[in-house]
Amino acid sequence: MNDLTLVINLGSSSLKAALLESNGGSLWRGERNLAAGEELETALESWMAPALGPHRNTIARIGHRVVHGGERFTAATRIDAEVEQVLHQLIPLAPLHNPAALIGIHWTRQWTRELAPEPSQWACFDTGFHSTLPEAARTYALAEQLRQKGFRRFGFHGLNHQHVSETVMEQWCQQGREPSQLRLISAHLGAGASLAAISGGRCIDTTMGYTPMEGLVMATRSGSVDPGLLLELMREGLTTSEITAQLQQSGGLKGLSGLSGDMREIRAQVLAGHSGAQLALAVFRHRLLQGIGAMAASLGGVDVLALSGGIGEHDQALQTELKQMLDWIPALDLQVIPADEEGMIARLCQRAEADFAEDQPRSSSGDVDAALI
């Protein structure tokens, strides 16, 4: 029986995909950026279709990374017409990423239409892992009329935070330790950056909020700023799009350094004595330490700090700095865990599909009711 999972992870200008076996083994992984003016559908057809062609008949399910699931979607969800319609309605919450996911869903449906059986399609949400946030952690101090409109904290990078959590919990089980007692801070540090406070496998706090702009300093995103500053910019005549550009494309490491949002370049320029790079690194570290302290407070202590993402995994200087700066935390275990959103998506799809099959009514012969096929 064919039991391969195709994982599609599409951004506004990037494509990542993986074909994974049920045991987690990888048959194929690919990644590329869109060329200037290139349409996403064209890239999928010219790049992914040829690469996956030999395996098309062996794909059992397809998992799509969807950045924002709103309040409706908190777990891997089988995609049907109704789900797809709701995903369209959620586009304003993630205008750069959710449209790309919908393009991927449409393309894979067309690409597999002639297969029998047609692979099931699943949406896996970056916000889902944070659905366990306590009310106090997910609520903004706003008037009820605004809160009723859905203005609340959601959190992001949940797929990788969950992968990190499951990896560390498995280590604890192998060591004979009680996983329900694990107090973990997962630090996803890449172009986007966020922290998650995870108690016994459940997320209880995180640094991102209603959008992925809240929280830590990122490559080109400012992270949290005083709302009063934004009001002042509006009074000075900046439009919404201009403020958005300042916060999303011109802020963060790039804005602080005046150079780049790439931490590797920042590090090199720090050694060369560049004052902007020195400021960028100092602010990045300060906000990171501030966030770690907040997550530790929410957990009532911390056992493991797990670094992931491009910066977290590869910036050895940062790893050393954190060990020194966090020596006030007793017996802190600092680990580096490679990010694996694709592997997490595949596991979530397999679990959800198994649950879905168990929930289906069965005929007297034990087969799935033909009316449901």
Side-chain angles (χ1 to χ4, degrees):
M1 177 180 177
N2 299 330
D3 195 28
L4 299 181
T5 303
L6 172 61
V7 176
I8 310 291
N9 184 348
L10 303 180
S12 58
S13 61
S14 64
L15 301 81
K16 293 176 67 177
L19 189 61
L20 304 174
E21 298 174 303
S22 58
N23 62 3
S26 176
L27 289 181
W28 175 83
R29 285 180 183 262
E31 180 176 359
R32 59 159 288 192
N33 293 322
L34 290 178
E38 185 180 22
E39 296 292 334
L40 186 54
E41 297 96 326
T42 303
L44 289 168
E45 192 64 37
S46 63
W47 170 68
M48 201 161 71
L52 293 173
H55 305 287
R56 187 165 72 151
N57 293 324
T58 64
I59 297 171
R61 67 196 66 81
I62 302 172
H64 299 268
R65 177 195 175 214
V66 182
V67 167
H68 213 310
E71 295 186 307
R72 168 79 178 268
F73 300 114
T74 60
T77 302
R78 187 162 185 162
I79 300 170
D80 57 20
E82 179 186 359
V83 169
E84 195 166 347
Q85 182 180 11
V86 177
L87 293 180
H88 275 281
Q89 295 170 358
L90 292 174
I91 285 177
L93 294 179
L96 295 179
H97 293 88
N98 275 21
L102 285 162
I103 290 172
I105 291 168
H106 176 76
W107 183 85
T108 50
R109 182 182 297 115
Q110 297 298 318
W111 185 65
T112 60
R113 173 169 289 177
E114 298 176 357
L115 300 182
E118 187 175 342
S120 58
Q121 296 212 56
W122 300 84
C124 298
F125 302 92
D126 255 339
T127 50
F129 184 61
H130 304 296
S131 63
T132 56
L133 285 174
E135 185 176 24
R138 68 173 184 262
T139 303
Y140 287 117
L142 298 172
E144 184 177 5
Q145 63 185 27
L146 293 178
R147 287 184 277 116
Q148 287 182 343
K149 292 182 177 181
F151 294 127
R152 49 155 288 186
R153 304 184 72 247
F154 287 99
F156 297 89
H157 295 138
L159 292 166
N160 193 53
H161 285 309
Q162 185 171 0
H163 161 68
V164 169
S165 175
E166 293 189 1
T167 300
V168 177
M169 289 187 73
E170 183 178 355
Q171 293 174 2
W172 269 47
C173 288
Q174 292 172 350
Q175 296 167 6
R177 306 175 74 176
E178 176 52 56
S180 65
Q181 301 300 312
L182 172 63
R183 299 170 299 179
L184 165 68
I185 297 176
S186 171
H188 180 99
L189 306 177
S194 70
L195 304 174
I198 305 169
S199 176
R202 292 172 59 85
C203 181
I204 64 167
D205 205 353
T206 189
T207 52
M208 284 183 168
Y210 182 70
T211 74
M213 293 170 63
E214 185 179 349
L216 305 177
V217 172
M218 299 173 239
T220 63
R221 279 173 269 175
S222 65
S224 295
V225 297
D226 182 350
L229 185 152
L230 306 182
L231 296 175
E232 181 61 30
L233 292 176
M234 294 173 65
R235 282 192 289 267
E236 292 184 2
L238 269 70
T239 65
T240 302
S241 60
E242 289 172 333
I243 294 174
T244 300
Q246 288 294 328
L247 297 177
Q248 290 205 41
Q249 286 91 42
S250 301
L253 295 174
K254 179 181 178 181
L256 287 165
S257 68
L259 296 169
S260 165
D262 190 326
M263 181 60 84
R264 293 167 295 186
E265 183 175 351
I266 299 296
R267 286 283 185 186
Q269 291 300 316
V270 165
L271 295 176
H274 190 283
S275 60
Q278 292 170 345
L279 176 64
L281 180 59
V283 175
F284 176 87
R285 282 191 308 219
H286 175 78
R287 295 289 290 276
L288 177 58
L289 288 169
Q290 189 179 53
I292 291 172
M295 296 299 107
S298 292
L299 288 166
V302 56
D303 301 302
V304 179
L305 170 62
L307 306 182
S308 190
I311 297 174
E313 295 170 35
H314 303 295
D315 192 330
Q316 295 182 354
L318 179 65
Q319 297 166 18
T320 300
E321 291 161 359
L322 287 175
K323 288 178 182 178
Q324 296 170 347
M325 294 176 175
L326 296 172
D327 62 359
W328 55 272
I329 301 178
L332 176 65
D333 179 11
L334 192 151
Q335 297 190 27
V336 175
I337 297 180
D340 189 11
E341 291 175 330
E342 289 74 33
M344 190 70 245
I345 290 171
R347 296 195 296 275
L348 290 173
C349 290
Q350 291 166 3
R351 296 168 192 170
E353 188 174 70
D355 292 341
F356 182 85
E358 289 180 2
D359 290 341
Q360 298 308 299
R362 294 186 177 274
S363 67
S364 58
S365 65
D367 295 327
V368 175
D369 192 328
L372 297 173
I373 298 177

